[in-house]
Amino acid sequence: MKEIETVNAAGHILCHDITQIIPGKFKGARFKKGHIIRDEDIPVLISLGKEHVFVWENDGSIIHENDAARILLGLCCGDGLEHTEPSEGKIEMRAAHDGLLKIDTDGIYSLNRLGNICVSTIHPNTPVKAGDRICGMRVIPLAVKKELMDQARAVTDRPLINIIPYTKKRARIAVTGNEIKKGLIEDRFTQVLERKLAEYGVNIDEVVYTGDDDKYITDTVMSFAKAGTDMIFCTGGMSVDPDDKTPLAIRNTGAEIITYGAPVLPGAMILIAYLNGIPVAGLPGCVMYAGRTIFDLILPRIIADDRISSEDIMRLGVGGFCRGCDICTFPNCGFGK
């Protein structure tokens, strides 16, 4: 930047905020950095005691912070996002609709490690709602070398941040346990699933009480898939106790087992599989009585048709311990992050 006389400043870009104080009425930036000085601004600047101002001197090799932020926006902003205009060099992105947040974390890291670049996001795989703030970006100095932004452009050829919208889904549930089938105890598991699924607009088409007969559970799951559904849940019977047959029953459908067990508490005994492309989950008892569990981590991904891998599950170990806070703020907390 360079210092020039205010009387000659028309057309130049201001490099710093200029504060105005009117006692008892106003104190703040009368002109913000990045403002293009107009002829009518000059008397005002002089009245504020600014006979000289610092303006941006562009020799073609540097990029102003607002323009650099727009370049970062182009690299980051994908589907399902809207954004603000640059303000003091910063742009923010917000969710345009409800959905599942997907972030190329390696790409964001590659941008930030270039130096003098700041791209800051919330955690990936977070369920978000329309209007939620997702990300902010800027460069650190007032202006950066054009070469730096060329390096940033080379990081990716597709947007690093997207929101997958939820679509209308339907579910079927197999409730295991002879004690429930015989009416000895009340089925409270289905009530919990109804509530959690309703958060995402999922309708339950069918609930079958299978008892602990593994062949009947297998046949029920296969009939669910044949009848047509978007997701299948089997409740209970998920421990390593020999009497618990749900994992065996799901395996016997021929489904692709993604994982039986997860480094997440509550929820370590979950089973996740895909049967002819349909997600099937064996849910441990903790889903019924704990406030938030691994089920809350995988459900948004299932509804967004974001296929879950065993690697995804193993990576949940760091952050996969729910602290059971007295006041739950999920998903705005560290669980699953």
Side-chain angles (χ1 to χ4, degrees), residues 26-66:
F26 177 80
K27 179 182 178 181
R30 179 63 176 82
F31 299 99
K32 291 186 176 183
K33 65 178 181 179
H35 175 71
I36 299 176
I37 299 171
R38 302 164 297 177
D39 288 330
E40 57 266 36
D41 296 332
I42 292 174
V44 179
L45 288 165
I46 293 175
S47 73
L48 295 174
K50 300 298 181 183
E51 296 185 355
H52 295 80
V53 291
F54 288 91
V55 296
W56 183 40
E57 184 177 23
N58 187 359
D59 62 1
S61 67
I62 59 176
I63 296 177
H64 187 267
E65 61 177 353
N66 286 347

Side-chain angles (χ1 to χ4, degrees), residues 234-255:
C234 299
T235 69
M238 291 301 302
S239 79
V240 293
D241 189 310
D243 290 335
D244 285 344
K245 303 293 183 63
T246 307
L248 171 65
I250 295 175
R251 288 182 187 277
N252 287 343
T253 65

Side-chain angles (χ1 to χ4, degrees), residues 147-221:
E147 177 185 0
L148 176 65
M149 302 317 296
D150 288 340
Q151 293 173 342
R153 289 189 181 97
V155 165
T156 183
D157 58 359
R158 58 184 177 180
L160 298 175
I161 305 174
N162 295 275
I163 295 177
I164 305 175
Y166 301 131
T167 56
K168 195 69 174 179
K169 299 291 186 183
R170 311 192 76 83
R172 295 177 189 265
I173 300 172
V175 180
T176 72
N178 288 334
E179 67 279 12
I180 297 176
K181 184 177 182 181
K182 294 177 180 179
L184 300 178
I185 65 171
E186 179 186 359
D187 170 27
R188 299 178 61 186
F189 217 135
T190 301
Q191 299 172 13
V192 172
L193 292 187
E194 286 176 343
R195 175 173 53 81
K196 289 184 178 289
L197 292 172
E199 292 179 18
Y200 297 95
V202 178
N203 293 322
I204 298 174
D205 282 341
E206 186 177 6
V207 177
V208 174
Y209 293 90
T210 64
D212 292 320
D213 184 335
D214 61 276
K215 186 177 186 307
Y216 188 24
I217 299 170
T218 297
D219 291 344
T220 299
V221 171

Side-chain angles (χ1 to χ4, degrees), residues 238-240 247 260-262 264 266-271 282-286 294:
M238 291 301 302
S239 79
V240 293
Y260 175 32
V264 176
M269 303 306 296
I270 195 168
L271 185 149
L283 304 178
C286 63
I294 191 172

Side-chain angles (χ1 to χ4, degrees), residues 21-27:
I21 300 175
I22 303 176
K25 294 184 178 180
F26 177 80
K27 179 182 178 181

